[in-house]
Amino acid sequence: MTGKRVLTTRENAVPALAEAFREHGFEGASLAVLSKATGLGKGSLYNFFPGGKEEMMEAVLADVDRWFAATIFAPLEQAEDPAAAITGMIEAVTAYFRSGRRVCLVGALGLNAGGEAFATTINGYFSRWIEALAHCLEVATVPATSAAHLAEEAVSGIQGAIVLARALGEADAFNRIVERQRATLLAAIRGYATS
Amino acid sequence: MTGKRVLTTRENAVPALAEAFREHGFEGASLAVLSKATGLGKGSLYNFFPGGKEEMMEAVLADVDRWFAATIFAPLEQAEDPAAAITGMIEAVTAYFRSGRRVCLVGALGLNAGGEAFATTINGYFSRWIEALAHCLEVATVPATSAAHLAEEAVSGIQGAIVLARALGEADAFNRIVERQRATLLAAIRGYATS
DNA sequence: ATCGAGTTGTACCGACCGGTACAACTTACG
DNA sequence: CGTAAGTTGTACCGGTCGGTACAACTCGAT
């Protein structure tokens, strides 16, 4: 226990790894790419992440999950002000995904095979998001089944907005779609719960 | 011009290539994978696709585009019976994507970098889909701006449904979401065009 | 100054990558 | 049957993959 943390890098490198995985995918992000992205040599990377790429991705996913839990899930779950929580979610998501220019790491990982190793993490990410949003809607006037459907649709819609905005190279498409999601959710809160 | 087509394979191999690209992505689909998927050796593959993987993907995308144009876009564009065209679109899409178990090749290609080489094809696929659906809605009572928004939202929603169903490993999620899209579109046709 | 735990770059490994070359084969036509 | 165009498997190329080994280095504690 002499040298503690000389330059403290492991947690420091995670955001750079996340960006690299987002841009190139899990299989596409070679060690050369990850090394350049972090500024660390292979030796350093394997020193911090002995499990290799898989452990790096696990660390990234844990970091992403922590961020979403604190910034998005928690406000929805406590839901003292449902409308504000939903508006906050939309704004946070728009900023985080940079209007669709930035890919959702978890969603993309679930699409391409090779993400099977992280299946439970991926499932948990979306499950918790949907449940948190549904709970927030239930705290408002929305009945349980409608809340579940609306939540599922909103989370799905955000993912679709990312795909479409990327495909069209049109960030405004993301903003438009997500804004409509917000309006739908807020309308439901105000008592227009559909069947 | 003696040997015509001995076993006529080029067009015959495209569906197998498409499945391989869907399952492994563009970068993840190695020549070994493609060879096994098609049952053809590397020599045969390069005989039919001298441009390598890129030409194979182009052929696959052209095939996908042909299928969508004939099965989905054309009925929307002629739109003699808008409601029937929309219901047909939803049913065809559900069958094609196997309730989300099957990935949308074009959407996934747009997410992961490396699909940049096919950017215009990807853009065209989604643009035409949205425009065809919007035109179909316009043929019904829906005003132009609402039609454009609804169409954009529906196509985006289908992509999101694929992402979510895959992430949750729950095919029913796809069916639920897509069914709601159908209901929304048909409701709009019946005159409930929103702002 | 010395030591040792922690950190880093670099050389290297076998495996596999996309792609090429080419000999062996199949087949239609004369 | 002979031949040539078309098709196929296989060996091979340089390069890169993920991962390992290890010597050189940093730096706080003594």
Side-chain angles (χ1 to χ4, degrees):
Chain A
M1 301 169 185
T2 58
K4 281 198 173 186
R5 298 279 170 78
V6 184
L7 285 173
T8 50
T9 16
R10 149 125 197 184
E11 270 74 22
N12 205 330
V14 169
L17 290 175
E19 262 327 289
F21 280 129
R22 255 186 281 266
E23 289 176 14
H24 300 91
F26 181 66
E27 296 193 289
S30 68
L31 285 184
V33 167
L34 298 172
S35 177
K36 191 162 61 179
T38 56
L40 273 57
K42 284 208 239 176
S44 306
L45 285 175
Y46 271 86
N47 181 35
F48 294 129
F49 307 93
K53 274 174 73 174
E54 198 159 313
E55 186 172 341
M56 298 181 208
M57 181 56 101
E58 281 170 8
V60 166
L61 288 177
D63 193 58
V64 168
D65 200 68
R66 206 176 308 126
W67 189 90
F68 269 82
T71 311
I72 296 186
F73 301 162
L76 291 173
E77 285 163 354
Q78 36 197 84
E80 295 163 357
D81 183 347
I86 285 171
T87 296
M89 175 187 92
I90 296 293
E91 286 173 359
V93 156
T94 302
Y96 184 82
F97 293 125
R98 296 194 203 168
S99 297
R101 275 181 292 261
R102 207 190 201 188
V103 162
C104 175
L105 187 59
V106 190
L109 200 57
L111 278 185
N112 300 14
E116 293 153 356
F118 312 99
T120 63
T121 302
I122 296 171
N123 190 314
Y125 169 86
F126 283 108
S127 294
R128 186 174 173 193
W129 193 349
I130 292 173
E131 283 168 18
L133 180 53
H135 170 79
C136 178
L137 291 170
E138 284 184 50
V139 166
T141 59
V142 184
T145 59
S146 290
H149 283 171
L150 283 167
E152 186 176 71
E153 207 178 349
V155 172
S156 162
I158 290 168
Q159 295 296 314
I162 295 171
V163 174
L164 191 66
R166 266 230 142 201
L168 296 179
E170 198 184 339
D172 276 342
F174 180 91
N175 297 328
R176 265 180 267 139
I177 294 167
V178 154
E179 173 57 28
R180 265 209 116 200
Q181 295 287 354
R182 189 180 68 87
T184 301
L185 291 173
L186 292 184
I189 280 186
R190 289 199 206 89
Y192 296 111
T194 55
S195 64
Chain B
M1 300 171 185
T2 58
K4 281 198 174 186
R5 297 281 171 78
V6 185
L7 284 173
T8 50
T9 16
R10 151 125 196 183
E11 270 74 22
N12 204 331
V14 169
L17 290 174
E19 264 324 292
F21 280 129
R22 255 186 281 265
E23 290 176 13
H24 300 90
F26 181 65
E27 297 193 290
S30 68
L31 286 184
V33 166
L34 298 172
S35 178
K36 191 162 62 178
T38 55
L40 272 60
K42 284 208 243 178
S44 305
L45 284 175
Y46 271 85
N47 181 35
F48 293 128
F49 307 93
K53 275 175 71 174
E54 198 159 314
E55 186 172 342
M56 298 181 208
M57 180 57 100
E58 282 170 7
V60 166
L61 287 177
D63 193 57
V64 168
D65 200 69
R66 206 176 309 125
W67 189 90
F68 269 82
T71 312
I72 296 185
F73 301 161
L76 292 172
E77 285 163 354
Q78 37 196 85
E80 296 163 356
D81 183 347
I86 285 171
T87 296
M89 175 188 92
I90 295 294
E91 287 173 1
V93 156
T94 301
Y96 183 81
F97 294 125
R98 295 195 202 167
S99 298
R101 276 181 292 260
R102 208 189 200 189
V103 162
C104 175
L105 186 60
V106 190
L109 200 58
L111 279 186
N112 301 14
E116 293 153 357
F118 312 100
T120 62
T121 302
I122 296 171
N123 190 315
Y125 169 86
F126 282 109
S127 294
R128 187 175 173 193
W129 193 349
I130 291 172
E131 283 169 16
L133 181 53
H135 170 79
C136 177
L137 291 170
E138 285 184 50
V139 166
T141 60
V142 184
T145 60
S146 290
H149 284 170
L150 284 167
E152 186 176 71
E153 206 178 351
V155 172
S156 163
I158 290 168
Q159 295 296 314
I162 295 172
V163 173
L164 191 66
R166 266 229 142 202
L168 296 179
E170 198 183 341
D172 275 342
F174 180 91
N175 296 329
R176 265 179 267 140
I177 295 168
V178 154
E179 174 56 29
R180 264 209 116 200
Q181 297 286 353
R182 190 181 67 88
T184 301
L185 292 172
L186 293 185
I189 281 186
R190 289 197 206 91
Y192 295 111
T194 54
S195 62

